[in-house]
Amino acid sequence: MYMYCIKTLIDEDFNLKSIPMDNPRIRLGARGIVLNDKNEIAILNKINKNEYKLIGGGIEDNEEPEQAFKREVLEESGCEIEIAKCLGTIEELKSQDNFKQTSFVYVGKVINDTKKLHLTNKEQEEGSKLLWMKLDQAIEAIKDSEKKLIASKYESVYHTKFIVRRDYEILKYYKNKYEK
């Protein structure tokens, strides 16, 4: 089944030169836009890194992308959702890390907010906090954070820049296609 690719991010998007990748590590992810009943978007703010990002993460073995997105949303936002649409995929080619990630991108609507987050130790140590923002506010917060990122013991600024830019591109695509 063909899925539209929203964007492929490469080192040149960050004024770096791509280097040849040799048998890169591959990761599949599921992420996207989670909307509450006020049409606000769930944003994970990793305070200790100055990072703002969308909800999502890696797909586990034998997990379908839709299941992974629902699981990640429950863990990172405490919300149960129904998936409203699939926006496509987005790719990150991090040649400096010999790493390729393809994420399936969804829009989900909250059907139940348990108000209980299940954050990983990494997310807790990075100061993760759930915020709800209007679309334009979320776009600005994510865009602005790219210039202010701080490395953590888990991720370099290089790696985090891809995450932030990826989520900015997802929101920009969503706004241009669905919010006119």
Side-chain angles (χ1 to χ4, degrees):
M1 176 176 132
Y2 170 79
M3 281 204 180
Y4 176 76
C5 182
I6 295 166
K7 182 145 179 101
T8 299
L9 292 171
I10 58 175
D11 287 318
E12 282 74 7
D13 292 319
F14 305 95
N15 299 315
L16 299 168
K17 185 163 175 32
S18 289
I19 56 177
M21 293 202 288
D22 181 33
N23 194 24
R25 294 182 343 259
I26 306 278
R27 183 177 189 238
L28 295 177
R31 63 195 71 262
I33 297 167
V34 177
L35 297 166
N36 65 15
D37 59 0
K38 297 178 192 159
N39 213 31
E40 295 169 323
I41 296 170
I43 298 292
L44 201 59
N45 176 209
K46 294 184 176 186
I47 295 163
N48 299 336
K49 293 173 65 183
N50 292 331
E51 177 186 2
Y52 290 81
K53 68 179 287 293
L54 293 173
I55 303 293
I59 296 174
E60 296 176 357
D61 293 339
N62 302 318
E63 193 175 39
E64 291 297 318
E66 295 88 353
Q67 290 172 297
F69 183 56
K70 288 180 176 183
R71 175 184 50 74
E72 287 288 341
V73 170
L74 185 59
E75 290 170 4
E76 295 180 356
S77 75
C79 295
E80 296 168 353
I81 59 161
E82 62 184 13
I83 294 177
K85 60 178 69 91
C86 177
L87 298 180
T89 61
I90 193 160
E91 292 184 333
E92 300 162 71
L93 302 178
K94 301 173 187 165
S95 75
Q96 314 290 317
D97 285 345
N98 200 38
F99 181 73
K100 176 184 179 183
Q101 178 165 270
T102 302
S103 294
F104 297 86
V105 183
Y106 300 96
V107 176
K109 304 233 185 225
V110 175
I111 52 176
N112 180 38
D113 186 348
T114 69
K115 308 239 187 277
K116 277 193 177 163
L117 277 55
H118 304 280
L119 300 173
T120 64
N121 286 340
K122 172 189 171 205
E123 290 162 340
Q124 289 174 27
E125 286 181 27
E126 292 177 339
S128 295
K129 181 176 152 190
L130 179 68
L131 305 172
W132 291 94
M133 298 179 168
K134 292 294 184 189
L135 178 59
D136 287 336
Q137 183 187 14
I139 289 171
E140 279 308 305
I142 288 174
K143 185 177 182 203
D144 289 347
S145 75
E146 187 177 318
K147 298 177 225 104
K148 303 170 187 166
L149 294 172
I150 299 170
S152 74
K153 71 179 186 184
Y154 301 101
E155 288 173 333
S156 66
V157 168
Y158 169 79
H159 190 78
T160 307
K161 275 188 178 189
F162 272 87
I163 294 168
V164 169
R165 180 75 61 91
R166 172 200 67 208
D167 292 353
Y168 170 74
E169 293 293 341
I170 291 168
L171 288 174
K172 205 168 73 171
Y173 173 78
Y174 175 75
K175 180 178 179 166
N176 291 337
K177 184 146 173 94
Y178 296 101
E179 293 288 314
K180 291 181 177 178

